[in-house]
Amino acid sequence: MAQAEVPYAAVPRSSTEGRVRFSDEQHGSDADVEDNELFEHPEALEVADNDTLYYGMTLGARRARKGRGFWVTVVSLVVVSVVGIFWLYFDGINWLQRSKKRNVILMISDGFGPASETMARNFVQQTRGLPVGFQSVLDEILVGASRTRSSDSLVTDSAAGATAFSCRMKSYNGAIGVDARRAPCGTVLEAAKLQRNMATGLVATSRITHATPGAFAAHVVHRDMEDLIAEYEVGNYSLGPVVDLLFGGGRCHFEPSTRANHSCRMDARDLLGEARGRGFRTLLSRKDFDALDAHSAALPLLGTFAPSHMDYEIDRDPHEQPSLAEMAEKALGILTAATKSANAGFFLMVEGSRIDMAAHTNDPAAHVREIIAYWDAIAVARAYVDAHPDTVLISVSDHETGGFSVAKQLGPEYPEYLWNPF
């Protein structure tokens, strides 16, 4: 009968040596004696005793140890599985939800195009003595462009632009949260609040009832219906309150017409009072704003810091009105504190509203300073993202205003581009 091919140099059973020796080339082999074909051939040597010499235990003891090891592995797996199931049931699901927690900061520079960014960059670079290669906080995060095209005009207004952002669809100029057929469209802010249970906020330097903030919280067929937009913002519609924090101007649309010197409403409804009745804390001044503790402020909040639009940055009295950056920073602090123990984050829209208005009036001095004020707010948001990496920051413009350009040509001949007014 043929000898088994095994990795050992074996001696016959009749030999008095009675032990196994590994050959030199197989001495480091991982082959297991008990698993080898050696045991299938009676003429091969008796290796059970040799196992005792080589492994320090008998073949039976080795098999028993392997059996115990198998059951130890099975029991360990069962214990780990049971512990894992209990952890998931009592705390793990909450942990998994928290790990998916996200914050979204959407910043909108109203009426702001590339030429405006160029002018502001040149202005800051020259007036502050910075290198020619200076980049703004927006330049540093530029990744692309958006298309907000109005459905009924080649020139897009703030209402159609904001509705494109809030509802993800093109609509007509003047549309506030409605589609081209004038039917309400669900907004990203409403989805954040009602589907994701996120805290929500709107911050603007315009009236808080103006086109851009209005398009995230209301559904009206024309942007001039600001009395109705105000009603939406304090929760007077079928979905109830969906905005937890509002900072901006436009107090006149919340005051009754009986207050002739303060109101711009067409009716006698007191929306400030109605807001308080729904749990809102109302802020009416810089003093109220400063007294607000971001770490302990309860939502909802309605802050209107001017009867109409807030002042241009170039005219703003810092003792009377907070800046866009200050409002953004406080809003971020409040929303962070409010969602600290929650499984969902927040959605915050911040608008540099009056960039657009300065361009409409062809006021470059006001325009450039509104842009710089927006940059300051962007810096606040970027610092927040650095400290809270689970936050998404988006900065985008709804449209350009005024056909602004940075150029100079004094005569009909081809110009030399050497203009440097500084």
Side-chain angles (χ1 to χ4, degrees), residues 2 29 36 68 86 130 133 174 182 192 212 218 239 272 301 326 373-374 401:
S29 172
N36 200 275
R68 288 195 301 273
F86 272 90
L130 300 173
R182 301 193 172 197
T212 300
L239 296 181
L272 291 176
L301 288 166
E326 289 173 321
Y374 181 77
T401 298

CSV table of all heavy atoms in Angstrom, one decimal, residues 2 29 36 68 86 130 133 174 182 192 212 218 239 272 301 326 373-374 401:
chain,number,residue,atom,x,y,z
A,2,ALA,N,0.5,2.2,-0.8
A,2,ALA,CA,1.3,3.4,-0.9
A,2,ALA,C,1.4,4.2,0.4
A,2,ALA,O,0.4,4.3,1.1
A,2,ALA,CB,0.8,4.3,-2.1
A,29,SER,N,5.9,24.3,9.0
A,29,SER,CA,4.6,24.2,8.4
A,29,SER,C,3.5,24.4,9.4
A,29,SER,O,3.6,24.1,10.6
A,29,SER,CB,4.5,22.8,7.8
A,29,SER,OG,3.2,22.5,7.3
A,36,ASN,N,-4.0,15.4,9.3
A,36,ASN,CA,-3.2,14.9,8.2
A,36,ASN,C,-3.6,13.5,7.7
A,36,ASN,O,-4.2,12.8,8.5
A,36,ASN,CB,-1.7,14.9,8.6
A,36,ASN,CG,-0.8,14.9,7.4
A,36,ASN,OD1,-0.5,13.8,6.9
A,36,ASN,ND2,-0.3,16.0,7.0
A,68,ARG,N,-14.1,23.2,23.3
A,68,ARG,CA,-14.4,24.3,24.2
A,68,ARG,C,-14.2,25.7,23.6
A,68,ARG,O,-15.0,26.6,23.8
A,68,ARG,CB,-13.5,24.2,25.5
A,68,ARG,CG,-13.8,23.1,26.4
A,68,ARG,CD,-13.1,23.3,27.7
A,68,ARG,NE,-11.7,23.4,27.6
A,68,ARG,CZ,-10.8,22.3,27.6
A,68,ARG,NH1,-11.3,21.1,27.7
A,68,ARG,NH2,-9.5,22.5,27.5
A,86,PHE,N,-29.9,45.5,23.1
A,86,PHE,CA,-30.4,46.3,24.2
A,86,PHE,C,-29.9,47.7,24.0
A,86,PHE,O,-30.6,48.7,24.2
A,86,PHE,CB,-29.9,45.7,25.5
A,86,PHE,CG,-30.8,44.7,26.1
A,86,PHE,CD1,-30.7,43.4,25.8
A,86,PHE,CD2,-31.8,45.1,26.9
A,86,PHE,CE1,-31.6,42.5,26.3
A,86,PHE,CE2,-32.7,44.2,27.5
A,86,PHE,CZ,-32.6,42.9,27.2
A,130,LEU,N,-4.5,96.2,0.7
A,130,LEU,CA,-4.3,94.8,0.6
A,130,LEU,C,-3.6,94.4,-0.7
A,130,LEU,O,-3.6,95.2,-1.7
A,130,LEU,CB,-5.6,94.0,0.8
A,130,LEU,CG,-6.3,94.3,2.1
A,130,LEU,CD1,-7.7,93.6,2.1
A,130,LEU,CD2,-5.5,93.7,3.3
A,133,GLY,N,-4.0,90.5,-5.2
A,133,GLY,CA,-4.6,89.2,-5.3
A,133,GLY,C,-5.6,88.9,-4.1
A,133,GLY,O,-6.0,87.7,-3.9
A,174,GLY,N,-43.1,88.2,-8.9
A,174,GLY,CA,-44.1,88.6,-7.9
A,174,GLY,C,-44.6,87.4,-7.1
A,174,GLY,O,-45.3,87.6,-6.1
A,182,ARG,N,-50.2,79.7,-9.8
A,182,ARG,CA,-50.6,80.3,-8.6
A,182,ARG,C,-51.1,79.4,-7.6
A,182,ARG,O,-51.8,79.7,-6.7
A,182,ARG,CB,-51.7,81.4,-8.9
A,182,ARG,CG,-51.2,82.5,-9.9
A,182,ARG,CD,-52.1,83.6,-9.9
A,182,ARG,NE,-51.6,84.7,-10.7
A,182,ARG,CZ,-52.0,86.0,-10.7
A,182,ARG,NH1,-53.0,86.3,-9.9
A,182,ARG,NH2,-51.4,86.9,-11.4
A,192,ALA,N,-38.4,71.4,6.4
A,192,ALA,CA,-37.5,71.2,7.5
A,192,ALA,C,-38.2,71.2,8.9
A,192,ALA,O,-37.9,70.3,9.7
A,192,ALA,CB,-36.5,72.4,7.5
A,212,THR,N,-38.1,88.0,-0.3
A,212,THR,CA,-37.2,86.9,-0.1
A,212,THR,C,-37.6,86.1,1.2
A,212,THR,O,-37.9,84.9,1.1
A,212,THR,CB,-35.7,87.3,0.0
A,212,THR,OG1,-35.4,87.8,-1.3
A,212,THR,CG2,-34.8,86.1,0.2
A,218,ALA,N,-44.6,81.9,3.3
A,218,ALA,CA,-45.9,82.2,2.9
A,218,ALA,C,-46.3,81.8,1.5
A,218,ALA,O,-45.4,81.3,0.8
A,218,ALA,CB,-46.1,83.8,3.0
A,239,LEU,N,-51.1,75.3,8.3
A,239,LEU,CA,-49.9,74.6,8.8
A,239,LEU,C,-49.5,75.1,10.2
A,239,LEU,O,-48.7,74.4,10.8
A,239,LEU,CB,-48.8,74.7,7.8
A,239,LEU,CG,-48.9,74.1,6.5
A,239,LEU,CD1,-47.7,74.2,5.6
A,239,LEU,CD2,-49.3,72.6,6.6
A,272,LEU,N,-48.7,91.6,16.4
A,272,LEU,CA,-47.8,91.5,17.5
A,272,LEU,C,-48.5,90.8,18.7
A,272,LEU,O,-48.0,89.9,19.3
A,272,LEU,CB,-47.2,92.8,17.9
A,272,LEU,CG,-46.2,93.5,16.9
A,272,LEU,CD1,-45.8,94.8,17.4
A,272,LEU,CD2,-45.0,92.6,16.7
A,301,LEU,N,-39.5,83.4,18.4
A,301,LEU,CA,-39.1,84.8,18.6
A,301,LEU,C,-39.4,85.6,17.4
A,301,LEU,O,-39.2,85.2,16.2
A,301,LEU,CB,-37.6,84.9,18.8
A,301,LEU,CG,-37.0,84.4,20.2
A,301,LEU,CD1,-35.5,84.2,20.0
A,301,LEU,CD2,-37.3,85.4,21.3
A,326,GLU,N,-24.5,90.6,13.3
A,326,GLU,CA,-24.9,90.5,14.6
A,326,GLU,C,-26.2,89.6,14.7
A,326,GLU,O,-26.4,88.8,15.6
A,326,GLU,CB,-25.1,91.8,15.3
A,326,GLU,CG,-23.8,92.6,15.6
A,326,GLU,CD,-24.1,94.0,16.1
A,326,GLU,OE1,-25.0,94.7,15.6
A,326,GLU,OE2,-23.3,94.4,17.0
A,373,ALA,N,-21.0,94.3,4.5
A,373,ALA,CA,-21.8,93.9,5.6
A,373,ALA,C,-22.2,92.4,5.4
A,373,ALA,O,-22.3,91.6,6.4
A,373,ALA,CB,-23.0,94.8,5.8
A,374,TYR,N,-22.6,92.1,4.2
A,374,TYR,CA,-22.9,90.7,3.9
A,374,TYR,C,-21.7,89.8,4.0
A,374,TYR,O,-21.8,88.7,4.6
A,374,TYR,CB,-23.5,90.6,2.5
A,374,TYR,CG,-23.9,89.2,2.0
A,374,TYR,CD1,-25.1,88.6,2.5
A,374,TYR,CD2,-23.1,88.4,1.2
A,374,TYR,CE1,-25.5,87.4,2.1
A,374,TYR,CE2,-23.5,87.1,0.8
A,374,TYR,CZ,-24.7,86.6,1.3
A,374,TYR,OH,-25.0,85.4,0.9
A,401,THR,N,-28.8,93.4,-10.0
A,401,THR,CA,-29.6,94.6,-10.1
A,401,THR,C,-28.9,95.7,-10.7
A,401,THR,O,-27.7,96.0,-10.3
A,401,THR,CB,-30.2,94.9,-8.7
A,401,THR,OG1,-31.0,93.9,-8.3
A,401,THR,CG2,-31.0,96.2,-8.8
